[in-house]
Amino acid sequence: MRLSKAFIPTLKEVPSDANIPSHQLMLRGGYMRQLTAGVYSYLPLGVRALTKAMNVVREEMNAVGGQELLLPALNPESLWIQSGRRNVPNFILSIKERDLVLAPTHEEVIGYIASMHIQSYKDLPQTWYQIHTTFRNEPRPRSGVLRGRQFIMKDAYSLDRSWEDLDKSYDAQAEAYKKIFNRCGIKFFIVGASSGAMGGTGSQEFMIESEFGEDTTALCASCGYAANLEVATSLMPKAARVEKNEPLKEIHTPNVKTIDQLVEFLNIDQSRFAKSLVYRHNGKPLLILMLGNDQLNESKLTAALGGGNASPMDAEELLSLTGADGGSIGPVQLTGFRIIADKRLEGLNGLISGANKNDYHIANIDLARDVNVDGYYDLRSIEAGEPCPKCSKPLKISNAIELGHIFKLGTKYSDTLNITYLDESGKSNPVIMGSYGIGMERIVACYIEQNHDKDGIIWNKVLAPYAIHLIAVNMSSKEVAAASEKMYGQLGEMGVEVLYDDRANITPGFKFKDADLLGMPIQVIVGDKGLKNGQLEIKRRKTGERILVKLEDALTEIKKILSE
Ligand code: ATP
Ligand code: MG
């Protein structure tokens, strides 16, 4: 491609709304442009990089027996009502006048097809996948294409007869994912994850470590335990019971609202307090008890509640329901609320909590005796330094970006969408499903996060839009123009993808800057100085290493570098 004719609108300035490197560089390099929040147009270089990623993904999906489909982005709303996912928070964008939704993923459509055509055990196993545009009702699109409202996803689905077979399909996908990210040159790690809106019995995420990541992971350097904070546990000890169970006692705590203020006011350790958090779950009042300063993890909460919509109750509503403000709410004699508690509180007594009366707390609470707790769940977010659940060594917490997610769905969709098969004895069984996603933009953007410098992107040959950036340093020199044109023709004949800077009236400095910004792995530089000695220059973008090569040896040398 000749740069003189190419549409690659590079920018000199860093766009002010872009604050992470991949976003900045994809804009500056003319890879893409934003249309509206979370929605991007991919320009020619962006399409080429995405296509390279898709090719790797497609090859590895095919290698594990995946069969490619192309499923509609427009889905009938009724299908999502049937599966029970129509109202998952922040999930579905819809087209109201036609009762259509824009599919955020495709378990429903896969289920629809499978329910019609999978009849007997002879039709199984199947693995189907697509690489296609997906829509999500993201409340906060950010970080460029890393979190868009529209993105390209590879989503694969396995259909099996048994849980054992699901394990095989799942493991095959996990292996394919490792190959994909290794081939793309992305440094990743795998964590145990929450199944979230997908449901099911188990899942893992493929992550890159990044200060810009919206996921938080707990990692153990000692034994390799790795989990998303949404499911991570630790060996934090429970607080102990107090020996003597005293009767309930109201205590006056003027202007004392937070656990820290209580600790100071009463001079009692924070592990003697049951903190109350007031929520609504699917509209109904819910009180959540946490031990002391333990932080509630919203994903764990959603999992404990079996899905649905849970959000904090607003202060006015709380006051009108209980007659007290947030800092004075507690579980004793609280009517109209479902009460759940974190596991660390199970079996405890001698606790202090709000009295549902401003400026008062209640002491000596024995949860079993005084409170109608409707279940103890793991609800707390673990913190850095807590003991690893496997080996007790301190856990490290790091931010991460999710590249891909694999799920054992089990029968969740088979049950709601009626996906069954007949076994050898003619008995009907639910199909056991798995689902496996990768964001194509995340491959490209995460790669850039890990491979850039102050000058621009540093592509490897797998994802690079072009293998070679050929620079005619000065087109007004006849010799340079002739040698460059010849090189461009020869590389083209060899089938090498070349971006050729043949622009006239552009300074060499500008051309070099653009080449570094766009980031192709090899730069071939044809200039007056070198030509005088019958030479051109080859620069490796990654190391900056330059070598001078005789014109007649250039093709051999380039071939050698390309085949490394
Ligand atoms: P996240 O936790 O980042 O919101 P998710 O759990 O919603 O991701 P999945 O439903 O598992 O994601 O989707 C599969 C893959 O699609 C993700 O691993 C990610 O690579 C990609 N993806 C998900 N949401 C987005 C988005 N808003 N923009 C770009 N890619 C996305
Ligand atoms: Mg999401």
Side-chain angles (χ1 to χ4, degrees), residues 90-91 136 138 147 402 442:
N90 306 330
F91 204 37
R136 294 274 169 101
E138 297 284 353
R147 184 170 301 286
E402 178 189 320
R442 288 204 188 172

Side-chain angles (χ1 to χ4, degrees), residues 136 138 145-148 151 153 198 402-405 439 442:
R136 294 274 169 101
E138 297 284 353
V145 297
L146 281 170
R147 184 170 301 286
F151 58 97
M153 182 158 80
M198 297 300 166
E402 178 189 320
L403 282 164
H405 200 163
R442 288 204 188 172

Side-chain angles (χ1 to χ4, degrees), residues 155-309:
D155 41 331
Y157 306 87
S158 60
L159 305 167
D160 279 296
R161 303 175 59 178
S162 65
W163 290 90
E164 293 73 37
D165 287 358
L166 168 63
D167 287 346
K168 284 183 208 149
S169 300
Y170 181 94
D171 292 346
Q173 288 287 323
E175 286 308 311
Y177 274 41
K178 289 180 203 164
K179 288 201 180 125
I180 288 167
F181 301 130
N182 281 330
R183 280 180 64 185
C184 290
I186 298 174
K187 292 185 262 330
F188 66 95
F189 62 100
I190 303 173
V191 300
S194 153
S195 298
M198 297 300 166
T201 56
S203 81
Q204 286 169 301
E205 289 167 333
F206 291 71
M207 298 286 201
I208 71 158
E209 209 170 325
S210 162
E211 59 176 308
F212 305 109
E214 291 181 66
D215 278 285
T216 318
T217 58
L219 307 171
C220 176
S222 174
C223 75
Y225 173 78
N228 194 307
L229 225 61
E230 295 172 346
V231 295
T233 57
S234 75
L235 292 178
M236 275 295 274
K238 266 194 196 170
R241 272 182 74 84
V242 296
E243 239 167 64
K244 202 155 160 248
N245 230 5
E246 306 273 1
L248 290 174
K249 184 175 84 184
E250 203 171 81
I251 43 179
H252 190 211
T253 49
N255 288 322
V256 172
K257 298 209 158 55
T258 66
I259 298 293
D260 288 338
Q261 288 166 346
L262 273 170
V263 165
E264 199 182 310
F265 185 81
L266 299 172
N267 195 20
I268 293 176
D269 188 80
Q270 52 120 355
S271 65
R272 298 270 44 109
F273 297 100
K275 180 172 65 181
S276 299
L277 302 167
V278 192
Y279 271 61
R280 275 196 182 275
H281 176 232
N282 294 339
K284 297 204 183 96
L286 173 74
L287 187 85
I288 305 154
L289 293 175
M290 302 295 299
L291 182 65
N293 263 328
D294 282 0
Q295 295 301 307
L296 173 70
N297 184 298
E298 300 257 353
S299 301
K300 289 184 177 178
L301 175 66
T302 305
L305 296 170
N309 234 326

